[in-house]
Amino acid sequence: MTPVEPPWALLAELTHGCPLHCAYCSNPVELVRRNRELDTETWCQVMGQAGRLGVVQTHISGGEPLLRPDLPQIVAAADAAGIHTQLVTSGIGLDAARLGALTDAGLRSVQLSVQHSDAQASDRIAGRRRSFADKARAAAVVREAGLPLGLNVVLHRDNLDALDAIVGLGLDWGADRIELANAQFYGWALLNRNQLLPSIGQLECARESVEAWRTRLGGRTELVWVVPDYFDGTAKPCMGGWGAVSLTVAPDGTVLPCPAAAALPGLDPLTVRERSLEWIWRDSPAFNAYRGTGWMADPCRSCERRDIDFGGCRCQAYALTGDAARTDPACRLAPDHPLLRGIVSEGALGAPSPAVPRSFRTAAGRGGRV
Ligand code: SF4
Ligand code: FES
C-alpha cells in the first residue's frame, strides 16, 4: 500500500455564524449551531496536532471567524505549531485594534470577500446594509498593517457582468491577489443553483476580460480564475485529490476531506473529540474512501487523466447522481454528463423563485436539508 503523505493545508471552520446571508455560500445547509462549536482549548489542541501532522498553512474561516472572541488565542496556537495563518473574512468587525491583536498573535495574511464592485449591489447580494463600506474599511486596515491582502469574489449571474469593475475595485483596495471564483454548487449554492447559474455568454465575456486584465497587469497583481466546471466539460481536481493535501475541521470538530463532505451519506466522519487528527487523516474509513485511484470505475479507471483530476469532485458526483463514486458529471466523458448539460440549459431559462438567503433561521425552516 502507498504510504499516506501528510496534509499541507487545514481549513479551520471556527463557526457557521455569519453576519452575511449570501445565497452562494458553500457551507452545508445543515449549519452547526453556535452552542455546538469547539471551545478554545480544543481548537488550540487541533492546531498543535495539525502542526505535528505536517500542516504548514491554515485558512481560518467560517462563517465569519471574527465572531469568535478567542480568535487571537487560536491564531497564536497555530503560529506556535509552525503553521502559517490566513484569516478568511467578510471584513465585518475587522478594525485596527482587532487586526493588531491578530497580527501580534501571528496572523500572516487576510483574504477578504466582496460581493460586487457597486456598494448597493454588494449589500444586496450579501443581505446586509452598509456591509460594502465595512469591507472597504477592512481592506484599508489590512493594507495599513502591511499584511498581504487577497480579495475573493464569488461570481454568478448577478455580478459576472461587472467583472471589469470588480478587478478595478480590487486594485483600488490594494489587493495583492484577486480570486475570481465562479460559484461552486455545494450547500446553499446548490440549493440556489438556478438563481446563480450564469449564461454561457456572460462567462465568455468574463473570461475575455480576465485575459485582457492579465496582459495589462503583467503579473503585478495575481488574478485567479476558478473554473466554472458546470460549463467547461472538464472535471476539476477537487481538493487536489481526496485525502491528499488538505483537511477540514468543521465548527463542531468533525474532520472532513473537504468542506462539503458532511453531506455524503455513509461517510461517518469522526470528530477531534473521538480520535487524533493524525489517526483520522491516515487511517479513518472516511479519508480512505476515495483516496488514490483504486476506488475508481470506468471511464476514470482507464483514463490517462485519472492522476491529474482524480475523477473530479466526489461531492458533486453525489449531488448530481446520488452516488459519490461515479465519475464527476462535469467531465464530458462521464456517462452522466448529459444531466449536467440539461441543468445548465434549464438554468439559462432563469429561476421561478428568489434565492434562499443563508441563515440559521432559513436552515431550520428546511429541516437543515436541501
Ligand atoms: Fe478525469 Fe475521469 Fe473524466 Fe478521465 S474520465 S478526464 S479521470 S473525470
Ligand atoms: Fe467534496 Fe469536491 S467538494 S470532493
Side-chain angles (χ1 to χ4, degrees):
M1 206 169 124
T2 331
V4 176
E5 296 293 327
W8 64 266
L10 164 69
L11 175 65
E13 291 184 336
L14 300 193
T15 177
H16 279 165
C18 187
L20 305 187
H21 306 284
C22 313
Y24 60 70
C25 182
S26 59
N27 280 161
V29 175
E30 197 163 351
L31 295 166
V32 174
R33 293 260 158 202
R34 303 253 15 222
N35 60 9
R36 290 179 51 219
E37 289 172 10
L38 294 182
D39 60 18
T40 314
E41 193 187 338
T42 313
W43 270 118
C44 292
Q45 287 165 0
V46 167
M47 293 302 175
Q49 287 186 28
R52 289 191 291 280
L53 179 55
V55 167
V56 295
Q57 178 166 29
T58 181
H59 304 277
I60 299 185
S61 177
E64 175 49 69
L66 289 166
L67 289 178
R68 293 274 310 218
D70 55 357
L71 188 53
Q73 287 146 275
I74 298 168
V75 168
D79 193 58
I83 302 174
H84 182 287
T85 49
Q86 179 177 63
L87 178 69
V88 180
T89 178
S90 66
I92 311 298
L94 188 63
D95 57 20
R98 200 84 204 277
L99 189 62
L102 292 169
T103 46
D104 288 350
L107 185 73
R108 306 296 179 90
S109 63
V110 175
Q111 181 184 285
L112 177 69
S113 67
V114 70
Q115 282 67 19
H116 203 289
S117 51
D118 173 77
Q120 268 190 347
S122 183
D123 289 356
R124 174 173 49 74
I125 295 168
R128 183 181 169 102
R129 282 199 289 169
R130 292 184 289 280
S131 54
F132 183 88
D134 287 346
K135 287 164 184 288
R137 262 192 300 275
V141 162
V142 175
R143 296 312 301 164
E144 277 156 26
L147 285 188
L149 172 66
L151 196 70
N152 175 276
V153 191
V154 175
L155 298 173
H156 46 86
R157 179 185 301 170
D158 215 2
N159 63 4
L160 259 169
D161 297 336
L163 192 126
D164 274 330
I166 287 170
V167 175
L169 178 85
L171 299 177
D172 283 352
W173 283 7
D176 302 287
R177 181 176 194 268
I178 303 172
E179 188 171 294
L180 302 162
N182 284 288
Q184 307 287 308
F185 298 105
Y186 308 105
W188 292 85
L190 180 61
L191 187 67
N192 291 314
R193 185 174 57 197
N194 276 353
Q195 288 82 2
L196 296 166
L197 273 172
S199 70
I200 293 172
Q202 279 184 300
L203 278 171
E204 278 168 5
C205 287
R207 233 189 277 262
E208 282 168 22
S209 280
V210 172
E211 282 317 310
W213 272 108
R214 281 190 175 138
T215 309
R216 198 177 330 167
L217 292 170
R220 287 189 301 282
T221 304
E222 189 186 357
L223 283 193
V224 180
W225 172 254
V226 176
V227 296
D229 64 345
Y230 266 47
F231 294 82
D232 277 7
T234 51
K236 63 189 173 217
C238 197
M239 306 304 295
W242 184 272
V245 293
S246 165
L247 74 171
T248 296
V249 178
D252 62 354
T254 307
V255 188
L256 297 162
C258 74
L264 299 183
L267 196 66
D268 298 328
L270 295 172
T271 75
V272 293
R273 299 180 218 268
E274 294 167 287
R275 285 286 197 155
S276 71
L277 218 49
E278 171 158 16
W279 189 90
I280 293 173
W281 172 260
R282 292 190 194 284
D283 298 314
S284 70
F287 273 80
N288 283 302
Y290 306 108
R291 198 170 241 153
T293 54
W295 57 274
M296 290 177 177
D298 276 330
C300 296
R301 189 204 305 262
S302 52
C303 178
E304 59 187 18
R305 283 183 57 82
R306 67 183 181 277
D307 292 308
I308 299 169
D309 66 22
F310 320 107
C313 174
R314 296 307 89 225
C315 299
Q316 186 150 283
Y318 172 71
L320 295 173
T321 73
D323 180 357
R326 285 182 77 76
T327 297
D328 183 343
C331 173
R332 64 170 62 83
L333 304 175
D336 302 303
H337 188 58
L339 183 76
L340 199 61
R341 303 255 48 91
I343 291 170
V344 166
S345 31
E346 217 177 283
L349 300 175
S353 52
V356 181
R358 172 223 198 268
S359 75
F360 285 113
R361 192 174 49 77
T362 43
R366 332 203 123 245
R369 302 208 181 274
V370 178

